[in-house]
Amino acid sequence: MTKLIFEKTKKGTSGINLTDEEINFDFINSKYINNSKETILPEISELEVMRHYKELSDKNFCIEKGFYPLGSCTMKYNPKVNEVLSALEGFCELHPLQEDEDSQGALKLMYKLQESLKTITGMDAVTLQPAAGAHGELCGMMIVKKYFETIGENRKNVIIPDSAHGTNPASAAMCGFNIVEIKSNEKGLVDIEALKSVLNENTAAIMLTNPNTLGLFEEDILEISKLVHEAGALLYYDGANMNAILGHTNPKLMGFDIVHMNLHKTFSTPHGGGGPGAGPVGVVESLKEYLPSPTIEYNGEKYIRNFDIKHSIGKMKAFYGNFSVLIRAYAYILMTGKELKDVSSNAVLNANYIMNKLKKYYFLPYDRKCMHEFVLSGEWQKEQGVNTLGIAKRLMDSNFHPPTVYFPLIVHEAIMIEPTESETKERLDEFIDTMIDIANEIKENPEEVLKHPLNTPVRKVDETLAARKPDLAYKL
Ligand SMILES: *Cc1c(COP(=O)(O)O)cnc(C)c1O
């Protein structure tokens, strides 16, 4: 069991050997120094500090360590050059309160990124402020709300398919909308008749993910957008996962009015630890005046922040959003260039390759060509005594991160696999072989499979207890 660094403390040990005279804190205003209480800090040597953190990082699973097919999360390779660029002194030492004249480089980068995202999505204007996908959704829903308030229409409903990511209904509900859920049809797509039956003068928007969370492309998207627009409502595109469509199509061509993207999924920012991320939002011309302020613009001479936005929903985030994520995304887009299209072609090819190899061994509820991801069901294995959770735990002992499990909710025992474009065929084959081996192990000896994981730092945890009664505070 790893000890906490506080438990490794040996009184009087120090990692540094500066004298009191060398530690000169005179530059800090004394009112900010709290002398009232002794600060409890670990006392430990420099070498032991390094060993402690190395040990912790070794326990972590990351994309550099192995295949990470976590569906809906796009765990692709994040080129290391992005890290170097985002750490450039000129970027990271720039103070956000600096005047526009002194921040031309940073503003130019943001402007150029906005332009790139406009091209990729087909939208007419983009804000970079939101800090995550869900935050982008919130921004989008606030725009929907303000738009209908401004044109004097009182529309209360937002339609969301049952396959949607959970953040969609949450974001719409936070803006005071009623959520109207529609069931998917037998193909896993939006049921047009179900849509027609709920679409009316109370509908403010529909939130759609395309390809949807089953990895399937909405074939009827043009009819859907026509129906929604005829009802006077707006179409919101959850573009968290753009990895299937880059350069092949875009939300504007499909008829969407508002879109958010997750730079930390599609555009190669590390996001295993829960942030920071960025969820830029793009809108069509008629919604431009609703974007959060300021927007970054170019006036023909210099790059400026524009605070003069007629119906702006206000600010979504302090300053400009998570700037260092924006640098990484822009670097990735520039470095990939025209090959962004190949990113999606390869992501889709890899997903279809695995799907077709595994569908004999695991139930595939929607047997159609998939996009960047697909969803299997662990139902056959469950009948033999091992559920999807058991399969996920077993995979960990073969050094694979488990796929996303039990999502989307419309597939029983869901196993959602997204390989991304950055994997080699050899790695995909290794994963396929392991999944087949596991299916065979379950047939032969399910009890043995249920014993896993055996080699992970933490074995099986009580998930209910962890969720219901999290006890995260360490008491000395
Ligand atoms: C990841 C994801 C989101 C939410 O993005 P966050 O950055 O985690 O807030 C929304 N929709 C879909 C489809 C996603 O995959």
Side-chain angles (χ1 to χ4, degrees):
M1 189 72 170
T2 306
K3 285 184 173 172
L4 298 180
I5 196 163
F6 287 95
E7 293 171 317
K8 292 181 179 170
T9 281
K10 196 164 154 241
K11 206 100 201 107
T13 315
S14 173
I16 50 162
N17 49 10
L18 297 175
T19 60
D20 284 352
E21 292 76 51
E22 285 169 313
I23 308 170
N24 180 357
F25 290 131
D26 287 351
F27 66 95
I28 301 177
N29 186 327
S30 62
K31 78 175 179 203
Y32 296 121
I33 299 178
N34 176 6
N35 283 324
S36 63
K37 216 164 89 182
E38 195 195 344
T39 312
I40 304 167
L41 290 173
E43 296 178 64
I44 181 167
S45 76
E46 184 175 333
L47 178 57
E48 290 302 327
V49 170
M50 290 201 298
R51 286 186 180 147
H52 178 75
Y53 286 106
K54 180 74 175 78
E55 189 190 343
L56 289 184
S57 80
D58 283 346
K59 288 181 189 295
N60 205 17
F61 191 93
C62 53
I63 187 81
E64 284 87 354
K65 237 178 177 174
F67 188 41
Y68 209 136
L70 195 63
S72 204
C73 292
T74 315
M75 303 303 289
K76 62 165 76 174
Y77 175 59
N78 310 299
K80 294 300 162 233
V81 65
N82 295 356
E83 302 304 311
V84 178
L85 296 175
S86 71
L88 285 178
E89 201 180 327
F91 286 136
C92 55
E93 308 242 313
L94 183 64
H95 196 283
L97 286 176
Q98 205 83 22
E99 298 293 335
D100 287 355
E101 292 77 62
D102 305 326
S103 322
Q104 284 297 297
L107 291 175
K108 180 173 178 182
L109 184 141
M110 287 190 276
Y111 178 80
K112 296 266 181 186
L113 177 59
Q114 285 176 186
E115 292 298 299
S116 307
L117 297 176
K118 276 162 64 177
T119 307
I120 290 168
T121 58
M123 292 288 134
D124 296 309
V126 166
T127 174
L128 302 172
Q129 278 184 35
H135 202 209
E137 292 170 24
L138 182 67
C139 174
M141 284 298 112
M142 287 168 75
I143 292 174
V144 171
K145 194 167 180 209
K146 187 89 190 254
Y147 169 75
F148 284 113
E149 270 168 23
T150 308
I151 64 168
E153 287 186 26
N154 184 21
R155 291 174 177 250
K156 283 272 172 248
N157 297 340
V158 170
I159 300 173
I160 304 178
D162 57 1
S163 60
H165 197 267
T167 50
N168 290 188
S171 303
M174 277 182 79
C175 290
F177 288 115
N178 304 320
I179 312 304
V180 180
E181 188 184 275
I182 47 167
K183 296 249 170 295
S184 305
N185 63 18
E186 69 297 338
K187 286 159 115 185
L189 304 175
V190 169
D191 186 327
I192 300 279
E193 292 312 312
L195 173 64
K196 280 184 188 160
S197 72
V198 293
L199 199 56
N200 56 36
E201 67 289 348
N202 274 324
T203 309
I206 180 166
M207 294 180 92
L208 282 184
T209 309
N210 194 22
N212 67 17
T213 61
L214 294 166
L216 304 176
F217 196 85
E218 291 290 351
E219 292 163 353
D220 297 325
I221 187 61
L222 294 179
E223 189 183 351
I224 294 170
S225 65
K226 188 164 159 271
L227 288 170
V228 173
H229 282 147
E230 277 169 7
L234 296 170
L235 277 95
Y236 182 91
Y237 184 83
D238 178 339
N241 315 117
M242 298 274 288
N243 228 37
I245 64 161
L246 295 168
H248 292 268
T249 181
N250 70 44
K252 179 71 177 289
L253 292 171
M254 301 177 208
F256 285 91
D257 304 293
I258 310 176
V259 42
H260 87 260
M261 290 146 276
N262 280 27
L263 299 188
H264 49 291
K265 287 179 181 168
T266 315
F267 300 99
S268 89
T269 281
H271 60 289
V281 169
V283 294
V284 292
E285 189 68 35
S286 54
L287 297 174
K288 221 169 155 173
E289 290 294 326
Y290 295 84
L291 285 177
S293 117
T295 51
I296 314 294
E297 284 164 32
Y298 182 60
N299 69 6
E301 265 172 41
K302 57 181 183 162
Y303 298 92
I304 50 159
R305 287 168 299 163
N306 178 14
F307 291 89
D308 185 20
I309 305 166
K310 202 163 163 208
H311 304 296
S312 176
I313 56 166
K315 246 180 173 315
M316 285 305 291
K317 176 99 173 66
F319 306 115
Y320 321 96
N322 284 329
F323 182 59
S324 78
V325 175
L326 308 180
I327 302 171
R328 290 174 172 93
Y330 187 55
Y332 178 74
I333 290 171
L334 280 191
M335 135 176 35
T336 315
K338 282 198 187 122
E339 282 155 25
L340 266 181
K341 197 170 173 181
D342 300 342
V343 163
S344 288
S345 307
N346 289 327
V348 171
L349 180 64
N350 285 355
N352 278 283
Y353 179 65
I354 303 181
M355 182 180 84
N356 282 293
K357 290 274 185 183
L358 289 183
K359 71 182 187 188
K360 271 197 282 194
Y361 304 89
Y362 295 85
F363 176 49
L364 175 64
Y366 301 98
D367 190 357
R368 300 174 46 209
K369 189 175 157 205
C370 69
M371 293 287 126
H372 61 299
E373 65 193 1
F374 62 96
V375 182
L376 297 172
S377 162
E379 268 175 30
W380 294 346
Q381 282 69 28
K382 193 178 178 185
E383 281 164 19
Q384 298 162 11
V386 179
N387 64 5
T388 285
L389 189 66
I391 297 169
K393 298 290 184 197
R394 169 65 190 83
L395 263 174
M396 292 165 90
D397 274 340
S398 297
N399 199 32
F400 288 110
H401 193 286
T404 296
V405 294
Y406 298 103
F407 176 76
L409 305 176
I410 56 173
V411 173
H412 294 145
E413 299 292 319
I415 305 174
M416 183 193 217
I417 297 172
E418 178 181 11
T420 83
E421 72 287 359
S422 42
E423 298 295 338
T424 60
K425 178 170 176 295
E426 290 70 28
R427 190 66 73 182
L428 302 182
D429 285 334
E430 208 185 300
F431 175 72
I432 291 164
D433 290 344
T434 305
M435 286 293 284
I436 295 173
D437 287 347
I438 294 175
N440 290 331
E441 283 171 31
I442 292 172
K443 245 185 222 150
E444 282 153 26
N445 196 347
E447 286 78 37
E448 216 35 53
V449 175
L450 287 172
K451 289 185 185 152
H452 292 273
L454 299 166
N455 306 324
T456 49
V458 177
R459 294 196 40 210
K460 268 192 187 133
V461 292
D462 183 335
E463 308 212 355
T464 317
L465 195 67
R468 295 279 156 80
K469 289 192 180 160
D471 180 6
L472 305 174
Y474 178 72
K475 292 158 203 96
L476 272 182

